[in-house]
Amino acid sequence: MNLVDILRLLSLAAIWGASFLFMRIIAPVLGTIPTAFFRVSIAFVGLLVILALMRVDWNFRGKLKAVMVLGLINSGIPATFYSLAAQVLPAGYSAIFNATTPLMGVLIGGLFFREPLTAAKVSGVFLGLMGVAILTRAGPVAFDLQLLMGALACLLATTCYGFAGFLTRRWLDHQGGLDSRLSALGSMFGATLFLLPLFGYSVITQPPASWGGWSVWLSLLGLGLVCTAFAYILYFRLLSSIGPVKSMTTTFLIPPFGVLWGALLLDEPLGMAHVYGGVLIAAALWLVLKPGVSSR
């Protein structure tokens, strides 16, 4: 990897780590569904403008419906779960739980998609679960039902990501695949359509006590445009430059940034459980992602 790619990788990790900070600011004010809806809808509009400026060929090759369903699984539902978690969990916790995505992929691949489960991968899953247990049980936040529900919401989100990875390969990667920029746009469109009626119902039946001030709406713009729309473009550039295997190392880098932003900007407490749990999850990821495949 050259210096430019390393800087892109670090920038992407910092941006995605900040998404948990933004959700922690927004979700307690607006609630779960409005936060998730505004995130994907703002991202959809942002990608629409970006792709128009890039003059991308709008040819979905008959895969628009598949991409929209993937958007539900990979964006709409996870955004909802993370918005729910953000009401009770520090940003650093959610960022660390997000790192379990490859571990969920291992379990889902073995259980539902006939992927081989090696000893290293199984060991990685167990190490990762130990890391999650340490963080929830011994972390600086009180161990109670709210903490467990927030942790469960994060793990359900990463489960969705795991399924989406395999479904993307099955639905989109055959017959030459689909332009990843169009995949991102179609996914956000599907997620927006999914959340639109839920958003309307929530506003009618249980509107937020407050629609927040400038800090909430600037955070929403940051979450939708920077952490979602722009981050997708940056990620796709990395994929083409260094390949998918090296690009996945962002998984290792997001938790430190998530913990850092939460501590610096929200005064979230730090504890040794962050270190112990984070190290175990990092070791688990290494076991799951360690080479045995080509760098591209």
Side-chain angles (χ1 to χ4, degrees), residues 169-183:
R169 186 171 66 183
R170 175 173 292 185
W171 293 350
L172 301 184
D173 288 353
H174 62 285
Q175 298 177 350
L178 180 66
D179 187 323
S180 55
R181 295 167 298 181
L182 290 178
S183 298

Side-chain angles (χ1 to χ4, degrees), residues 54-124:
M54 295 175 70
R55 298 182 180 179
V56 173
D57 182 14
W58 303 88
N59 182 10
F60 284 90
R61 304 174 61 182
K63 298 178 180 179
L64 179 58
K65 289 183 180 179
V67 172
M68 290 174 63
V69 173
L70 284 173
L72 164 65
I73 300 170
N74 197 46
S75 299
I77 297 176
T80 304
F81 280 131
Y82 275 125
S83 297
L84 177 63
Q87 297 184 61
V88 295
L89 289 185
Y93 272 52
S94 295
I96 292 175
F97 288 140
N98 180 71
T100 63
T101 297
L103 310 183
M104 292 300 182
V106 169
L107 287 175
I108 290 166
L111 292 173
F112 299 101
F113 295 94
R114 298 181 180 179
E115 291 286 319
L117 287 174
T118 64
K121 289 182 177 181
V122 173
S123 300

Side-chain angles (χ1 to χ4, degrees), residues 2 5 18 20-21 31 33 60 68 78 111 157 177 191-192 238 250 273-275 277 287:
N2 59 42
D5 286 331
F20 300 101
L21 166 74
I33 298 299
F60 284 90
M68 290 174 63
L111 292 173
T192 300
L238 267 177
T250 52
H274 281 101
V275 177
L287 286 170

Side-chain angles (χ1 to χ4, degrees), residues 221-245:
L221 290 176
L223 182 63
L225 296 179
V226 180
C227 297
T228 309
F230 175 72
Y232 264 112
I233 302 300
L234 186 59
Y235 183 59
F236 298 146
R237 181 66 184 87
L238 267 177
L239 283 175
S240 65
S241 178
I242 64 176
V245 174

